[in-house]
Amino acid sequence: MKKHHILLLSVLIFGFFLRFYQIDKIPSGFYSDEALVGYEAFSILKTGKDQYGNIFPVTFKAFGDYRPGLFIYSTVPFIWLFGLNEFGTRLPSVVFSTVTIFVIYIIAKLLFKNKKIALFSSLLFAISPWSIVFARMSHDTNLSTLVVSTAIYCLLKACISGNKRLFLMACFLFALSLYVYYTTRVFVPLFFIFSAFYFRRYFHKKQIVLGMLVAAVILLPLCRVLTNRETGWSRINAVNLWTDPGIKAKTESLVHEDVLMNQSYSKIFHNKFVGVGYAFLKSFTSHFTPEFLLYSGDPIKMYQIPDTGILLFIEPVLIITGVLILWKKEFQWNLLLLAWFLIGIFPDTLTRLYPAAARIHLALPVVSMVAAVGFSNIIFRLKRTAIWGKLGMLILIIIISYNMIYYFHSHFIHAPVRYASEWHYGLRDLIAQIKPVANNYDQIWVSKRVWGWVNFAFYLKYPPEKMQKEIMLSEKNEYGLGWVYQFGKYYFDDIPSQFDYNKNILYIGERNEFPDSMKAMLTVLYPDHSEAFIAVTTEEMRKSCKECSIEFKKL
């Protein structure tokens, strides 16, 4: 085996290790989105239906946001092999992200015709916090990045080699990616339009027509979904800028101020188009702030590691160096890389929940490759200087190594403590303690603060055939998400202010949801030893708080 192949294999093994190590424990909790993927895959495996009873759905109703189904289907074999648990649910992301490391290597090798740059591209993706944070959880973006990157490789290879089959494969994969994640439904059409102009001299009209036919056949099952406003675009409709009530409220407030000041031309400056345009620019620029890139990362704490961003601290230097070199050399594929990057960011700029690292994950391969160009150039220059070059390389290695170690220290030590509640930490232990005694109670009432039905369905391994008969989703909130209030004897709602003492109910909630006088049957602690949840029996309530009874209130 050649030295270069050994180095590539080492990068792949190292990247796999960073993603795989203790995935059943870190992240320390198990977020509801992950539980949903696992339970839906379990339901498909056992019954061929989702939890709502739909037979092999194209999109999964989920929380009412109708999620593309391919990632859930790809999880089914892992649930079959390893069972319904955290390990089996998270492992697909590990595998998909690791394979993407190799795909980025072959893309970079094809584009730059330089094995070192290709190797550095794969290495930077392998150690990227932006990649690792999603690869260690069950998330659709890992599969969408793999499928889209592979499609782009096939397209490039077809252009360079003239291989017609690869072009058809690219069309197949682009179409397939629309079944994976919301962002591809924006990315793929835009990238297709760009490719139609950029690659037009490489393909004949017959090839293009044939490729479009392949894509059309693959998309046939999706057409019915996409033409339905609820099933195809419900999540996008709920979070896009155009429907943002905050923009409307702000515009109306500004118009009111103009009226107070007797301004008759306020509509010129304060209207929906101006408001959305301003929000779009704000959203776009938010992806380039030091806070997002280096210090805090994604605003959603599940996608965040304490005191780190989505990039290593050295990466902005490498990226800027890479951009300057590619610009100066007038690199052949500059426009392609720029389009890939901008279109990769574009879906997130259309939403009001920004910046979101998951929704711009499709741009990460470009970031890794451009940074690799800068990294390769810096190393080349350092090698040319005898004494200072070795010192410079040593400093560079120390900076990157320290940054990586610091990141994993934060990931494995601080994140489990700081973000325990956001990750629904403690539910596994809670349900494990409740399950043996569940038959002793008429009902088990779970507070919304503890979280919802899907976590309990996952850990209880609740029979899907029973769930399909019992589940009912409530009306959706402003973000297009619904709630299930009950299955079996389990109820999921706010803890009532008065309790029914005529029924034997086990209540589960946070300590401040119960009167101070009540003693807990069991208590679950967070990693910092503060109370996460407590369980209180009706019997204990009768003893501790007579005035809490519904009957007492009637008197």
Side-chain angles (χ1 to χ4, degrees):
M1 186 180 289
K2 294 181 180 179
K3 179 181 178 181
H4 187 78
H5 293 153
I6 293 174
L7 291 173
L8 175 60
L9 182 60
S10 300
V11 169
L12 291 170
I13 293 172
F14 184 54
F16 177 79
F17 174 77
L18 296 179
R19 288 155 175 77
F20 178 78
Y21 179 66
Q22 291 191 351
I23 57 164
D24 58 332
K25 299 176 182 177
I26 304 293
S28 57
F30 199 60
Y31 187 52
S32 53
D33 283 13
E34 296 185 289
L36 177 79
V37 171
Y39 189 74
E40 292 285 26
F42 177 68
S43 184
I44 290 291
L45 177 66
K46 295 296 182 181
T47 67
K49 302 176 183 178
D50 71 358
Q51 61 179 322
Y52 296 94
N54 300 307
I55 301 173
F56 293 110
V58 174
T59 58
F60 285 74
K61 190 175 181 179
F63 300 115
D65 48 354
Y66 289 92
R67 302 184 174 207
L70 189 58
F71 182 68
I72 291 173
Y73 285 111
S74 68
T75 306
V76 172
F78 295 88
I79 299 299
W80 177 67
L81 284 170
F82 302 104
L84 183 59
N85 52 50
E86 293 97 331
F87 180 83
T89 306
R90 286 175 174 169
L91 188 58
S93 287
V94 174
V95 173
F96 298 144
S97 184
T98 303
V99 176
T100 307
I101 296 172
F102 176 74
V103 173
I104 288 173
Y105 168 82
I106 59 178
I107 292 175
K109 185 180 176 183
L110 189 65
L111 290 176
F112 301 105
K113 297 179 175 59
N114 186 309
K115 291 182 179 180
K116 286 185 178 179
I117 292 177
L119 194 62
F120 287 143
S121 297
S122 62
L123 175 63
L124 289 173
F125 183 88
I127 65 174
S128 169
W130 189 357
S131 172
I132 292 169
V133 72
F134 291 106
R136 292 186 60 84
M137 68 175 75
S138 178
H139 203 291
D140 325 51
T141 197
N142 297 292
L143 181 56
S144 66
T145 302
L146 171 60
V147 175
V148 169
S149 297
T150 307
I152 292 175
Y153 169 76
C154 290
L155 182 62
L156 286 168
K157 188 70 175 178
C159 292
I160 294 171
S161 67
N163 190 318
K164 296 179 182 179
R165 291 181 180 179
L166 282 174
F167 174 72
L168 296 179
M169 178 58 71
C171 294
F172 169 81
L173 290 172
F174 277 128
L176 191 67
S177 71
L178 271 66
Y179 291 89
V180 182
Y181 193 39
Y182 301 112
T183 54
T184 57
R185 295 179 181 178
V186 179
F187 178 91
V188 170
L190 292 176
F191 194 82
F192 176 80
I193 293 170
F194 165 78
S195 299
F197 289 96
Y198 189 75
F199 295 109
R200 64 186 182 278
R201 62 191 177 91
Y202 292 98
F203 302 107
H204 300 296
K205 289 183 179 179
K206 288 183 179 180
Q207 286 179 273
I208 296 173
V209 170
L210 187 58
M212 292 178 68
L213 284 174
V214 169
V217 170
I218 300 303
L219 292 174
L220 278 176
L222 194 61
C223 288
R224 186 177 178 183
V225 172
L226 294 178
T227 52
N228 185 306
R229 183 178 176 83
E230 182 180 14
T231 59
W233 304 94
S234 60
R235 181 61 173 162
I236 295 173
N237 290 331
V239 301
N240 74 80
L241 289 175
W242 190 254
T243 59
D244 186 355
I247 294 175
K248 182 181 178 181
K250 183 179 179 180
T251 301
E252 290 175 351
S253 176
L254 292 169
V255 170
H256 177 67
E257 290 175 1
D258 281 352
V259 171
L260 292 175
M261 299 302 291
N262 297 318
Q263 299 295 318
S264 59
Y265 48 82
S266 64
K267 287 291 184 179
I268 299 175
F269 303 110
H270 310 307
N271 56 68
K272 192 169 185 177
F273 292 98
V274 173
V276 171
Y278 175 82
F280 176 84
L281 291 174
K282 187 178 179 182
S283 174
F284 180 77
T285 55
S286 70
H287 298 94
F288 305 98
T289 62
E291 191 72 16
F292 177 62
L293 296 176
L294 300 174
Y295 304 126
S296 296
D298 197 299
I300 298 176
K301 291 182 179 179
M302 284 79 66
Y303 305 150
Q304 184 185 114
I305 302 302
D307 305 316
T308 63
I310 64 171
L311 301 178
L312 296 171
F313 273 93
I314 195 67
E315 280 191 274
V317 176
L318 303 181
I319 292 166
I320 292 170
T321 304
V323 167
L324 293 175
I325 290 168
L326 293 173
W327 182 269
K328 185 177 179 180
K329 290 185 176 181
E330 297 183 353
F331 180 58
Q332 177 187 357
W333 303 106
N334 276 348
L335 186 58
L336 171 67
L337 292 173
L338 179 63
W340 184 351
F341 177 76
L342 291 178
I343 298 173
I345 288 178
F346 186 73
D348 192 44
T349 62
L350 300 176
T351 73
R352 53 188 163 118
L353 307 173
Y354 58 81
R359 287 195 290 267
I360 63 170
H361 199 266
L362 291 173
L364 178 54
V366 179
V367 173
S368 297
M369 288 188 288
V370 172
V373 173
F375 192 35
S376 179
N377 182 266
I378 290 171
I379 289 178
F380 174 74
R381 291 181 180 276
L382 289 173
K383 281 185 175 181
R384 293 178 63 182
T385 55
I387 300 175
W388 294 107
K390 292 181 179 180
L391 180 61
M393 287 185 65
L394 179 62
I395 293 172
L396 189 63
I397 292 170
I398 290 173
I399 291 172
I400 294 174
S401 300
Y402 180 82
N403 198 171
M404 278 188 60
I405 294 169
Y406 181 85
Y407 170 78
F408 277 97
H409 173 75
S410 293
H411 198 139
F412 279 72
I413 305 299
H414 295 290
V417 177
R418 197 175 300 182
Y419 303 145
S421 63
E422 286 80 8
W423 273 100
H424 306 323
Y425 177 88
L427 282 180
R428 176 175 54 189
D429 295 337
L430 173 72
I431 295 168
Q433 294 182 66
I434 290 171
K435 192 174 181 179
V437 298
N439 290 333
N440 298 337
Y441 301 95
D442 300 326
Q443 294 178 8
I444 297 176
W445 191 303
V446 183
S447 167
K448 282 186 175 182
R449 297 188 193 179
V450 175
W451 231 83
W453 85 96
V454 72
N455 307 79
F456 277 75
F458 180 92
Y459 284 116
L460 291 169
K461 295 181 174 60
Y462 198 76
E465 59 274 10
K466 290 182 65 178
M467 177 67 80
Q468 291 156 12
K469 296 176 183 178
E470 298 168 353
I471 192 169
M472 184 177 293
L473 194 72
S474 71
E475 292 184 4
K476 300 176 187 178
N477 62 17
E478 61 177 309
Y479 298 106
L481 304 176
W483 188 265
V484 171
Y485 284 92
Q486 186 261 332
F487 70 78
K489 64 170 59 183
Y490 293 87
Y491 290 77
F492 306 90
D493 204 348
D494 297 322
I495 297 294
S497 57
Q498 300 290 321
F499 302 93
D500 186 355
Y501 288 173
N502 295 318
K503 295 180 180 179
N504 187 20
I505 302 174
L506 179 65
Y507 293 93
I508 302 167
E510 294 181 351
R511 167 63 72 178
N512 58 14
E513 294 183 273
F514 300 96
D516 295 336
S517 59
M518 290 188 182
K519 295 180 180 179
M521 182 193 80
L522 65 88
T523 301
V524 176
L525 302 179
Y526 284 129
D528 64 358
H529 303 297
S530 63
E531 287 185 335
F533 322 116
I534 64 169
V536 179
T537 65
T538 304
E539 183 180 357
E540 174 58 34
M541 288 181 175
R542 289 195 194 101
K543 295 177 183 177
S544 306
C545 189
K546 293 181 179 179
E547 66 273 16
C548 297
S549 169
I550 293 175
E551 297 298 325
F552 183 87
K553 188 176 181 180
K554 289 178 181 178
L555 294 173

